[in-house]
Amino acid sequence: MARIRELAKKTPKFILSNVLGTVVDTAVLWLFSEHVFASYFGEYVVSPVISFECAVFVNFLCSWFFIWKDRVVTGSGKSFFRKYLLYNFSASAVFLVKMGFLLLFEVIFGWDVVYCNLAALCISGIINFSMGEWVIFVKRH
């Protein structure tokens, strides 16, 4: 029962962190695609990569200082960067999984891309939370 309460406390924090990450992703994407890059490649490839990485960093900071703060070694730059690299790799892999589900939902159901994305985000969100809880910020006894 205590485990369920712990997860119930972390879930809203995780959702809030991801909303913040989405805002950062969107703002950085807009800034770079509108004001920095003028080419198609810059707007549609480089800008989304930069905005995704900014969002990943913001989400990692939320995870480190807010969601799983009781599981981190404070004052350890090595631990911070090691976990950040693992988090970034995990987020990138889960992004690819999300894209796979998005495309699968479009093929199976023929939904609009926005609905496919929302459904895929639900699945990828569960995977991201699970990776944070049981792999990246695993509780050491």
Side-chain angles (χ1 to χ4, degrees):
M1 193 59 133
R3 184 73 176 132
I4 293 171
R5 276 194 296 274
E6 182 183 342
L7 291 174
K9 286 181 182 179
K10 284 182 172 43
T11 301
K13 293 177 181 179
F14 180 80
I15 292 169
L16 183 62
S17 166
N18 280 277
V19 167
L20 179 59
T22 300
V23 169
V24 167
D25 190 329
T26 304
V28 171
L29 178 62
W30 174 80
L31 178 71
F32 276 80
S33 65
E34 290 292 319
H35 300 289
V36 177
F37 296 108
S39 69
Y40 178 88
F41 184 78
E43 286 185 52
Y44 287 91
V45 177
V46 179
S47 294
V49 168
I50 293 170
S51 68
F52 174 77
E53 284 300 326
C54 289
V56 166
F57 189 67
V58 166
N59 285 349
F60 176 75
L61 291 177
C62 289
S63 295
W64 182 271
F65 291 110
F66 185 55
I67 302 168
W68 287 286
K69 66 182 177 195
D70 58 325
R71 297 184 184 180
V72 300
V73 179
T74 56
S76 172
K78 184 178 177 182
S79 176
F80 179 88
F81 287 109
R82 189 176 63 247
K83 286 205 185 295
Y84 174 66
L85 288 174
L86 182 59
Y87 187 90
N88 196 329
F89 177 76
S90 171
S92 297
V94 172
F95 174 78
L96 295 175
V97 169
K98 182 201 89 152
M99 291 302 298
F101 276 105
L102 184 151
L103 296 171
L104 180 66
F105 293 148
E106 193 285 322
V107 168
I108 293 173
F109 304 113
W111 294 342
D112 182 80
V113 68
V114 172
Y115 298 119
C116 293
N117 189 57
L118 289 173
L121 280 171
C122 291
I123 295 168
S124 65
I126 292 167
I127 297 169
N128 267 329
F129 182 85
S130 299
M131 291 298 293
E133 180 69 18
W134 291 292
V135 177
I136 299 166
F137 296 100
V138 67
K139 195 175 215 174
R140 306 277 185 220
H141 296 293

